[in-house]
Amino acid sequence: MKKSIGSYPRVRVEGGGRGAVSQAGAVLLVETVRKSGLDTAISAALAPWRKTRTVHDPGKILLDVALAVALGGDCLSDVAMLRAEPAVFGAVASDPTVSRLIDTLASGKRALTAIRRARADVREHVWALAGDAAPDSGGQVIVDLDGVLVIAHSDKQDAAATWKRTFGHHPIMGFVDHGADGAGEPVAGLLRAGNAGSNTAADHITATQLALAQLPKRFRRGHRTLVRTDSGGGTHEFVNWLAARGRWLSYSVGMTITDAIHQAVLKVPASAWTPAVEPGGEVRDGAWVAEIDGDCLKGWPKGMRLIVRKERPHPGAQLRFTDADGMRLTCFATNTPGEAIAGLELRHRQRARCEDRIRDARSTGLRNLPLHGFAQNQIWLEIVQLALDLLAWMPMLALTGKTRRWEPKKLRLRLFSAAAQLITTGRRRYLRLAAHWPWTDVISAAADRLQALPNPG
């Protein structure tokens, strides 16, 4: 008997195996594409860009790249892992064909408009399929806007020095918040140069227009749509645009602590401060909120409320010049009437979930823009949003409980990376998942829920 060496068993590796499928759990994303009708919608939208006698459909090529990005890819050539599994993903175009399509779509803005219109139509259908799990089930949709710094490691068009002394681009992203029980889905991706400002009102207006165009028509204006931003959105031009007559959007935007606001906070009596609350309704320790008015609201739209929070800083945090009495001050503006300021402050504080969505986007193709041209990278940003759409729609339609809150990294590790055996019998193909895989039951149950949904059209 030979003595074992090391902590792991020794396994010899050789090629030539048959019947095994890697990334078998990605069949959940493929089924989401089919049930949502995204494949037919994108194919129809990109039909004008399909040349005669071409083998591969432009919509299928674009969706293949989005699927590769959803599975963790970060460049166009990563569609190779789909090409290796034709039984799951079908025929996949070659790398040169993919590159030529991206160049063709980047030659003008018509392709971007067509893709975005198709995504909006499919989104409304998916929300209808999701029912109570959809983000509009409560009668209101929350859109979070925030800027993202994307580092460039080579000279790319419009890459520039950023405000954080890095080099790259500074897009504005918009996400629909799914609440505490879900994730979020992208509805805006405005690519900008690296030196673009954080509080440029025109860019915030454009990003909001892109986001509203992705929502069902009943949410494109009116108080049922809430737009949340950090202090970058707290400008006169942007807030006036949100509150304009005929638009009437609800907003909750962060505000910079100016000297006038600072002086007004110092005059707030102790009895006017209300304890802040946590999502469960309990009091937030060491935090209070108050509403201020007077001269601070001059020049702003009618009905705007200015709410300030003071909180004990975290250990090690340094106070700023705008803080007072050893308390960290933050401020935001909203036009929601009749609600308690503690609840409004909690609603605005939950904008922090947008940071989670940005982290998901970074792990789904947004850590680096792989192409050189600005228009090409705008197409890439649209591909990233397609991938994030699938990563949000699949859990919304097929997962329940804690699994619906899994972020893309966890979905890839536990579900998508599962291997399976391909069985062909009775002219049908089956993926037989390993019984010992800890999340086989989750994959099987999710596949059943997707297959139970009605087919599009």
Side-chain angles (χ1 to χ4, degrees):
M1 179 178 179
K2 293 184 179 180
K3 183 178 180 181
S4 62
I5 301 175
S7 302
Y8 297 94
R10 183 178 181 182
V11 179
R12 297 188 182 276
V13 179
E14 61 180 15
R18 296 182 180 180
V21 175
S22 61
Q23 300 288 332
V27 71
L28 298 178
L29 296 178
V30 175
E31 190 67 10
T32 300
V33 169
R34 194 176 69 85
K35 290 294 186 176
S36 65
L38 184 61
D39 50 350
T40 56
I42 295 293
S43 295
L46 297 184
W49 287 268
R50 181 169 188 172
K51 298 180 181 179
T52 57
R53 297 184 180 179
T54 54
V55 176
H56 297 281
D57 177 69
K60 173 67 162 57
I61 296 174
L62 198 74
L63 278 179
D64 284 342
V65 180
L67 284 169
V69 172
L71 295 176
D74 59 4
C75 61
L76 297 179
S77 61
D78 283 335
V79 296
M81 62 177 165
L82 275 64
R83 195 181 301 120
E85 302 295 351
V88 177
F89 302 104
V92 177
S94 64
D95 292 349
T97 302
V98 174
S99 298
R100 285 194 298 269
L101 176 65
I102 299 301
D103 292 339
T104 301
L105 297 180
S107 60
K109 294 184 178 180
R110 289 177 53 245
L112 270 177
T113 302
I115 295 170
R116 289 166 177 167
R117 187 179 296 115
R119 289 179 54 219
D121 293 341
V122 175
R123 190 182 317 280
E124 186 170 6
H125 175 62
V126 170
W127 287 9
L129 288 177
D132 292 340
D136 64 339
S137 60
Q140 186 182 53
V141 171
I142 299 177
V143 177
D144 292 318
L145 299 179
D146 205 351
V148 186
L149 293 181
V150 182
I151 306 301
H153 299 284
S154 61
D155 188 16
K156 300 176 182 179
Q157 186 178 5
D158 284 352
T162 70
W163 62 276
K164 279 195 173 182
R165 299 182 180 179
T166 57
F167 182 79
H169 295 82
H170 188 191
I172 292 182
M173 300 294 295
F175 298 91
V176 169
D177 185 21
H178 284 199
D181 296 329
E185 54 190 281
V187 288
L190 178 64
L191 187 60
R192 305 188 300 164
N195 55 4
S198 298
N199 58 349
T200 306
D203 291 342
H204 277 83
I205 292 173
T206 302
T208 305
Q209 290 172 332
L210 292 176
L212 294 176
Q214 285 294 311
L215 303 180
K217 290 184 179 179
R218 63 185 182 278
F219 292 109
R220 295 179 184 177
R221 65 180 62 204
H223 289 297
R224 290 186 298 176
T225 300
L226 172 70
V227 178
R228 292 190 302 202
T229 72
D230 58 6
S231 59
T235 61
H236 284 271
E237 184 179 352
F238 182 55
V239 174
N240 288 337
W241 185 88
L242 292 172
R245 182 181 298 272
R247 196 169 290 116
W248 304 117
L249 295 168
S250 296
Y251 60 82
S252 182
V253 298
M255 302 291 288
T256 302
I257 302 290
T258 62
D259 184 65
I261 295 177
H262 187 262
Q263 294 301 321
V265 171
L266 296 179
K267 297 177 182 178
V268 176
S271 58
W273 291 97
T274 301
V277 297
E278 295 288 5
E282 62 272 14
V283 173
R284 182 177 176 86
D285 185 40
W288 298 265
V289 293
E291 185 171 358
I292 57 178
D293 51 18
D295 294 340
C296 295
L297 297 179
K298 288 184 178 180
W300 293 95
K302 183 180 179 180
M304 191 181 90
R305 305 172 67 183
L306 199 59
I307 299 172
V308 64
R309 180 186 69 175
K310 66 177 182 179
E311 186 173 18
R312 296 192 188 99
H314 300 293
Q318 294 183 347
L319 293 176
R320 300 167 294 190
F321 289 109
T322 54
D323 296 330
D325 299 329
M327 295 286 188
R328 173 65 54 85
L329 298 181
T330 55
C331 185
F332 71 96
T334 182
N335 62 343
T336 302
E339 292 191 20
I341 58 176
L344 295 175
E345 190 276 332
L346 172 63
R347 185 186 68 178
H348 185 76
R349 191 173 359 119
Q350 289 173 337
R351 199 200 71 85
R353 285 197 286 256
C354 185
E355 301 296 332
D356 299 334
R357 308 290 81 81
I358 291 176
R359 183 175 65 249
D360 296 342
R362 289 186 184 278
S363 65
T364 312
L366 199 57
R367 188 171 299 278
N368 172 56
L369 298 176
L371 307 173
H372 179 269
F374 185 86
Q376 294 171 321
N377 281 322
Q378 180 64 69
I379 296 293
W380 176 263
L381 187 57
E382 206 67 25
I383 291 172
V384 169
Q385 293 179 77
L386 276 170
L388 290 170
D389 278 337
L390 293 175
L391 291 172
W393 293 344
M394 189 278 290
M396 184 169 62
L397 295 174
L399 299 181
T400 59
K402 294 182 179 179
T403 59
R404 193 191 159 192
R405 296 194 297 271
W406 286 356
E407 295 187 353
K409 286 185 177 181
K410 186 171 289 187
L411 290 172
R412 294 177 191 127
L413 179 66
R414 297 186 174 184
L415 303 187
F416 303 153
S417 64
Q421 183 182 12
L422 182 64
I423 305 296
T424 303
T425 177
R427 296 184 180 181
R428 292 187 178 183
R429 293 178 177 179
Y430 298 89
L431 286 177
R432 184 170 294 171
L433 299 168
H436 64 272
W437 188 251
W439 301 281
T440 291
D441 292 342
V442 176
I443 301 173
S444 300
D448 291 341
R449 293 188 188 97
L450 288 173
Q451 291 173 4
L453 295 174
N455 291 322

